[in-house]
Amino acid sequence: MSIMAPASDKNLTGLVAATFTPFTSEGEINLSEIGPYIDYLTEKQGVNSVFVNGTTGESMSLSVAERKILAEAWCQKAKGKLDQVIVHVGCMSLKDSQELARHAEQIGADGIAAIAPSFFKPSTADTLRTFLYEVTSVAPTVPFYYYHLPDFTGVKVLGRDVLEGIEKLIPSFRGLKFTGNDLMDFGQCVSHSQPHWSVLYGVDEQLLAALVMGAQGAVGSTYNYMGCHVNKLISAFEKGDLNQARAIQFKMQELISYAKKLGFDLGVNKQLMNELSGLSLGPPRLPVMPCPYTHALSIAQKYHSIFPEC
């Protein structure tokens, strides 16, 4: 077991955009949009870190080769513009995850993350930790974040149980992205975290609750186009202005609730990003279906009626 320390010890805090994968109309990766995408995040949304090749990025619908190409492009184009690029390397196959972890280390990613495998599921925290250790063992100098997403993976192991003794097994461990509604489990993760860990929340419509519990930041898809408003929520919370923080959170909930009535899946979310950002990120990849244009337009209109210009 390696005891090498990770290359970077800067904490991952604040808003982290879970990025969409740009495709052409033919469904091929479109790297030309990544530069403008980064400029949009930093200049329009005040978001300075990204989580690449995750759920929003349709990673499980991409080949290993495609994920490498995307990760490298994000890392290259982020230099001097973004604070951190976290590359998700989780796969169903341990060997594929290791290949992506090695590659992330080679291209200078600021961190890697991995989700639990969801076909052959780890049934215990110990099994899941062992899997995560094997992933990180090939890239021991890169900060590692566990991506906790039980509703998608079907792995019902508590996040707190996964953290038990994890840094002894994985010295590069630096926190987790907790995407779940179990705030008791989330609170236990925060309570038992170390000062150099980052506990990040991933349910955008409940961010304020997570901040109260001690979240140091958040990773989410809506921060791609609502980041400037959510930054105001965080700022209000830090100043103790809970009325203002709640007002912004309630607006987010109003928008997301409206979108859910129209079927707020990844296809709708991606098309909404196209409408609000002016970027051309293309359609999703099957089995996710493209969004009916009228749905995205209706949600975009609702967004503009709720939120003022940043």
Side-chain angles (χ1 to χ4, degrees), residues 58-78:
E58 302 177 70
S59 61
M60 297 305 170
S61 298
L62 302 174
S63 69
V64 169
E66 287 176 320
R67 288 172 68 169
K68 285 183 177 180
I69 290 168
L70 281 162
E72 187 163 1
W74 275 100
C75 287
Q76 286 179 345
K77 296 183 179 184

PDB file of all heavy atoms in Angstrom, residues 58-78:
ATOM      1  N   GLU A  58     -22.959  12.327 -18.414  1.00  0.00           N
ATOM      2  CA  GLU A  58     -23.327  11.076 -19.099  1.00  0.00           C
ATOM      3  C   GLU A  58     -22.171  10.089 -19.173  1.00  0.00           C
ATOM      4  O   GLU A  58     -22.001   9.367 -20.157  1.00  0.00           O
ATOM      5  CB  GLU A  58     -23.863  11.374 -20.512  1.00  0.00           C
ATOM      6  CG  GLU A  58     -25.057  12.301 -20.540  1.00  0.00           C
ATOM      7  CD  GLU A  58     -25.530  12.641 -21.931  1.00  0.00           C
ATOM      8  OE1 GLU A  58     -26.087  11.761 -22.615  1.00  0.00           O
ATOM      9  OE2 GLU A  58     -25.319  13.798 -22.351  1.00  0.00           O
ATOM     10  N   SER A  59     -21.377  10.030 -18.113  1.00  0.00           N
ATOM     11  CA  SER A  59     -20.151   9.228 -18.163  1.00  0.00           C
ATOM     12  C   SER A  59     -20.403   7.759 -18.467  1.00  0.00           C
ATOM     13  O   SER A  59     -19.606   7.114 -19.150  1.00  0.00           O
ATOM     14  CB  SER A  59     -19.387   9.340 -16.837  1.00  0.00           C
ATOM     15  OG  SER A  59     -20.154   8.850 -15.742  1.00  0.00           O
ATOM     16  N   MET A  60     -21.515   7.220 -17.958  1.00  0.00           N
ATOM     17  CA  MET A  60     -21.770   5.801 -18.172  1.00  0.00           C
ATOM     18  C   MET A  60     -22.217   5.493 -19.602  1.00  0.00           C
ATOM     19  O   MET A  60     -22.328   4.331 -19.981  1.00  0.00           O
ATOM     20  CB  MET A  60     -22.805   5.285 -17.167  1.00  0.00           C
ATOM     21  CG  MET A  60     -22.329   5.372 -15.725  1.00  0.00           C
ATOM     22  SD  MET A  60     -20.738   4.523 -15.458  1.00  0.00           S
ATOM     23  CE  MET A  60     -20.346   5.077 -13.804  1.00  0.00           C
ATOM     24  N   SER A  61     -22.466   6.538 -20.379  1.00  0.00           N
ATOM     25  CA  SER A  61     -22.794   6.366 -21.797  1.00  0.00           C
ATOM     26  C   SER A  61     -21.596   6.659 -22.701  1.00  0.00           C
ATOM     27  O   SER A  61     -21.728   6.666 -23.926  1.00  0.00           O
ATOM     28  CB  SER A  61     -23.959   7.282 -22.183  1.00  0.00           C
ATOM     29  OG  SER A  61     -25.122   6.950 -21.466  1.00  0.00           O
ATOM     30  N   LEU A  62     -20.443   6.915 -22.085  1.00  0.00           N
ATOM     31  CA  LEU A  62     -19.227   7.234 -22.838  1.00  0.00           C
ATOM     32  C   LEU A  62     -18.250   6.070 -22.775  1.00  0.00           C
ATOM     33  O   LEU A  62     -18.204   5.328 -21.796  1.00  0.00           O
ATOM     34  CB  LEU A  62     -18.553   8.483 -22.254  1.00  0.00           C
ATOM     35  CG  LEU A  62     -19.382   9.769 -22.196  1.00  0.00           C
ATOM     36  CD1 LEU A  62     -18.603  10.843 -21.449  1.00  0.00           C
ATOM     37  CD2 LEU A  62     -19.758  10.239 -23.589  1.00  0.00           C
ATOM     38  N   SER A  63     -17.447   5.938 -23.814  1.00  0.00           N
ATOM     39  CA  SER A  63     -16.371   4.950 -23.794  1.00  0.00           C
ATOM     40  C   SER A  63     -15.219   5.467 -22.948  1.00  0.00           C
ATOM     41  O   SER A  63     -15.129   6.675 -22.658  1.00  0.00           O
ATOM     42  CB  SER A  63     -15.889   4.663 -25.216  1.00  0.00           C
ATOM     43  OG  SER A  63     -15.218   5.797 -25.749  1.00  0.00           O
ATOM     44  N   VAL A  64     -14.330   4.577 -22.551  1.00  0.00           N
ATOM     45  CA  VAL A  64     -13.143   4.990 -21.805  1.00  0.00           C
ATOM     46  C   VAL A  64     -12.328   5.985 -22.628  1.00  0.00           C
ATOM     47  O   VAL A  64     -11.830   6.989 -22.111  1.00  0.00           O
ATOM     48  CB  VAL A  64     -12.297   3.759 -21.419  1.00  0.00           C
ATOM     49  CG1 VAL A  64     -10.925   4.179 -20.892  1.00  0.00           C
ATOM     50  CG2 VAL A  64     -13.024   2.920 -20.372  1.00  0.00           C
ATOM     51  N   ALA A  65     -12.184   5.725 -23.912  1.00  0.00           N
ATOM     52  CA  ALA A  65     -11.414   6.631 -24.785  1.00  0.00           C
ATOM     53  C   ALA A  65     -12.047   8.017 -24.813  1.00  0.00           C
ATOM     54  O   ALA A  65     -11.344   9.038 -24.756  1.00  0.00           O
ATOM     55  CB  ALA A  65     -11.335   6.044 -26.191  1.00  0.00           C
ATOM     56  N   GLU A  66     -13.376   8.083 -24.907  1.00  0.00           N
ATOM     57  CA  GLU A  66     -14.061   9.378 -24.925  1.00  0.00           C
ATOM     58  C   GLU A  66     -13.872  10.109 -23.604  1.00  0.00           C
ATOM     59  O   GLU A  66     -13.660  11.333 -23.586  1.00  0.00           O
ATOM     60  CB  GLU A  66     -15.545   9.184 -25.204  1.00  0.00           C
ATOM     61  CG  GLU A  66     -15.871   8.803 -26.633  1.00  0.00           C
ATOM     62  CD  GLU A  66     -17.347   8.521 -26.838  1.00  0.00           C
ATOM     63  OE1 GLU A  66     -17.965   7.896 -25.941  1.00  0.00           O
ATOM     64  OE2 GLU A  66     -17.888   8.918 -27.885  1.00  0.00           O
ATOM     65  N   ARG A  67     -13.932   9.385 -22.514  1.00  0.00           N
ATOM     66  CA  ARG A  67     -13.761  10.025 -21.205  1.00  0.00           C
ATOM     67  C   ARG A  67     -12.346  10.581 -21.051  1.00  0.00           C
ATOM     68  O   ARG A  67     -12.142  11.649 -20.454  1.00  0.00           O
ATOM     69  CB  ARG A  67     -14.109   9.038 -20.090  1.00  0.00           C
ATOM     70  CG  ARG A  67     -15.603   8.772 -20.002  1.00  0.00           C
ATOM     71  CD  ARG A  67     -15.987   7.660 -19.043  1.00  0.00           C
ATOM     72  NE  ARG A  67     -15.744   8.020 -17.652  1.00  0.00           N
ATOM     73  CZ  ARG A  67     -16.187   7.315 -16.620  1.00  0.00           C
ATOM     74  NH1 ARG A  67     -16.913   6.211 -16.834  1.00  0.00           N
ATOM     75  NH2 ARG A  67     -15.940   7.694 -15.372  1.00  0.00           N
ATOM     76  N   LYS A  68     -11.371   9.896 -21.592  1.00  0.00           N
ATOM     77  CA  LYS A  68      -9.993  10.407 -21.564  1.00  0.00           C
ATOM     78  C   LYS A  68      -9.873  11.693 -22.367  1.00  0.00           C
ATOM     79  O   LYS A  68      -9.256  12.673 -21.922  1.00  0.00           O
ATOM     80  CB  LYS A  68      -9.027   9.358 -22.120  1.00  0.00           C
ATOM     81  CG  LYS A  68      -8.732   8.196 -21.204  1.00  0.00           C
ATOM     82  CD  LYS A  68      -7.697   7.290 -21.877  1.00  0.00           C
ATOM     83  CE  LYS A  68      -7.296   6.134 -20.997  1.00  0.00           C
ATOM     84  NZ  LYS A  68      -6.293   5.271 -21.670  1.00  0.00           N
ATOM     85  N   ILE A  69     -10.450  11.694 -23.551  1.00  0.00           N
ATOM     86  CA  ILE A  69     -10.377  12.873 -24.416  1.00  0.00           C
ATOM     87  C   ILE A  69     -11.009  14.082 -23.735  1.00  0.00           C
ATOM     88  O   ILE A  69     -10.462  15.196 -23.745  1.00  0.00           O
ATOM     89  CB  ILE A  69     -11.079  12.583 -25.761  1.00  0.00           C
ATOM     90  CG1 ILE A  69     -10.266  11.570 -26.582  1.00  0.00           C
ATOM     91  CG2 ILE A  69     -11.280  13.863 -26.560  1.00  0.00           C
ATOM     92  CD1 ILE A  69     -11.022  11.023 -27.780  1.00  0.00           C
ATOM     93  N   LEU A  70     -12.162  13.864 -23.124  1.00  0.00           N
ATOM     94  CA  LEU A  70     -12.849  14.951 -22.429  1.00  0.00           C
ATOM     95  C   LEU A  70     -12.055  15.452 -21.238  1.00  0.00           C
ATOM     96  O   LEU A  70     -11.886  16.669 -21.049  1.00  0.00           O
ATOM     97  CB  LEU A  70     -14.227  14.478 -21.968  1.00  0.00           C
ATOM     98  CG  LEU A  70     -15.320  14.449 -23.026  1.00  0.00           C
ATOM     99  CD1 LEU A  70     -16.469  13.574 -22.566  1.00  0.00           C
ATOM    100  CD2 LEU A  70     -15.798  15.865 -23.321  1.00  0.00           C
ATOM    101  N   ALA A  71     -11.569  14.535 -20.422  1.00  0.00           N
ATOM    102  CA  ALA A  71     -10.813  14.924 -19.228  1.00  0.00           C
ATOM    103  C   ALA A  71      -9.590  15.741 -19.609  1.00  0.00           C
ATOM    104  O   ALA A  71      -9.282  16.766 -18.982  1.00  0.00           O
ATOM    105  CB  ALA A  71     -10.405  13.686 -18.442  1.00  0.00           C
ATOM    106  N   GLU A  72      -8.890  15.297 -20.641  1.00  0.00           N
ATOM    107  CA  GLU A  72      -7.676  16.008 -21.058  1.00  0.00           C
ATOM    108  C   GLU A  72      -8.005  17.402 -21.566  1.00  0.00           C
ATOM    109  O   GLU A  72      -7.307  18.374 -21.249  1.00  0.00           O
ATOM    110  CB  GLU A  72      -6.944  15.206 -22.133  1.00  0.00           C
ATOM    111  CG  GLU A  72      -5.590  15.779 -22.495  1.00  0.00           C
ATOM    112  CD  GLU A  72      -4.704  14.795 -23.230  1.00  0.00           C
ATOM    113  OE1 GLU A  72      -5.135  13.651 -23.484  1.00  0.00           O
ATOM    114  OE2 GLU A  72      -3.558  15.168 -23.546  1.00  0.00           O
ATOM    115  N   ALA A  73      -9.078  17.522 -22.337  1.00  0.00           N
ATOM    116  CA  ALA A  73      -9.463  18.832 -22.864  1.00  0.00           C
ATOM    117  C   ALA A  73      -9.849  19.785 -21.735  1.00  0.00           C
ATOM    118  O   ALA A  73      -9.461  20.966 -21.739  1.00  0.00           O
ATOM    119  CB  ALA A  73     -10.618  18.682 -23.850  1.00  0.00           C
ATOM    120  N   TRP A  74     -10.610  19.296 -20.763  1.00  0.00           N
ATOM    121  CA  TRP A  74     -10.989  20.146 -19.630  1.00  0.00           C
ATOM    122  C   TRP A  74      -9.757  20.597 -18.845  1.00  0.00           C
ATOM    123  O   TRP A  74      -9.647  21.775 -18.477  1.00  0.00           O
ATOM    124  CB  TRP A  74     -11.956  19.407 -18.712  1.00  0.00           C
ATOM    125  CG  TRP A  74     -13.390  19.517 -19.141  1.00  0.00           C
ATOM    126  CD1 TRP A  74     -14.121  18.590 -19.827  1.00  0.00           C
ATOM    127  CD2 TRP A  74     -14.267  20.631 -18.935  1.00  0.00           C
ATOM    128  NE1 TRP A  74     -15.392  19.050 -20.046  1.00  0.00           N
ATOM    129  CE2 TRP A  74     -15.517  20.285 -19.510  1.00  0.00           C
ATOM    130  CE3 TRP A  74     -14.121  21.858 -18.307  1.00  0.00           C
ATOM    131  CZ2 TRP A  74     -16.618  21.161 -19.474  1.00  0.00           C
ATOM    132  CZ3 TRP A  74     -15.210  22.720 -18.265  1.00  0.00           C
ATOM    133  CH2 TRP A  74     -16.429  22.374 -18.850  1.00  0.00           C
ATOM    134  N   CYS A  75      -8.849  19.678 -18.593  1.00  0.00           N
ATOM    135  CA  CYS A  75      -7.651  20.036 -17.827  1.00  0.00           C
ATOM    136  C   CYS A  75      -6.779  21.040 -18.583  1.00  0.00           C
ATOM    137  O   CYS A  75      -6.252  21.991 -18.001  1.00  0.00           O
ATOM    138  CB  CYS A  75      -6.844  18.779 -17.480  1.00  0.00           C
ATOM    139  SG  CYS A  75      -7.596  17.757 -16.190  1.00  0.00           S
ATOM    140  N   GLN A  76      -6.627  20.846 -19.867  1.00  0.00           N
ATOM    141  CA  GLN A  76      -5.792  21.748 -20.665  1.00  0.00           C
ATOM    142  C   GLN A  76      -6.403  23.143 -20.743  1.00  0.00           C
ATOM    143  O   GLN A  76      -5.717  24.148 -20.541  1.00  0.00           O
ATOM    144  CB  GLN A  76      -5.608  21.178 -22.077  1.00  0.00           C
ATOM    145  CG  GLN A  76      -4.665  19.994 -22.158  1.00  0.00           C
ATOM    146  CD  GLN A  76      -4.541  19.457 -23.572  1.00  0.00           C
ATOM    147  OE1 GLN A  76      -5.341  19.772 -24.461  1.00  0.00           O
ATOM    148  NE2 GLN A  76      -3.540  18.627 -23.802  1.00  0.00           N
ATOM    149  N   LYS A  77      -7.687  23.215 -21.042  1.00  0.00           N
ATOM    150  CA  LYS A  77      -8.332  24.507 -21.255  1.00  0.00           C
ATOM    151  C   LYS A  77      -8.659  25.234 -19.950  1.00  0.00           C
ATOM    152  O   LYS A  77      -8.939  26.429 -19.954  1.00  0.00           O
ATOM    153  CB  LYS A  77      -9.585  24.316 -22.102  1.00  0.00           C
ATOM    154  CG  LYS A  77      -9.251  23.814 -23.505  1.00  0.00           C
ATOM    155  CD  LYS A  77     -10.467  23.690 -24.401  1.00  0.00           C
ATOM    156  CE  LYS A  77     -10.056  23.202 -25.784  1.00  0.00           C
ATOM    157  NZ  LYS A  77     -11.176  23.143 -26.740  1.00  0.00           N
ATOM    158  N   ALA A  78      -8.599  24.509 -18.840  1.00  0.00           N
ATOM    159  CA  ALA A  78      -8.883  25.121 -17.538  1.00  0.00           C
ATOM    160  C   ALA A  78      -7.679  25.849 -16.949  1.00  0.00           C
ATOM    161  O   ALA A  78      -7.834  26.625 -16.007  1.00  0.00           O
ATOM    162  CB  ALA A  78      -9.343  24.055 -16.559  1.00  0.00           C
TER     163      ALA A  78
END
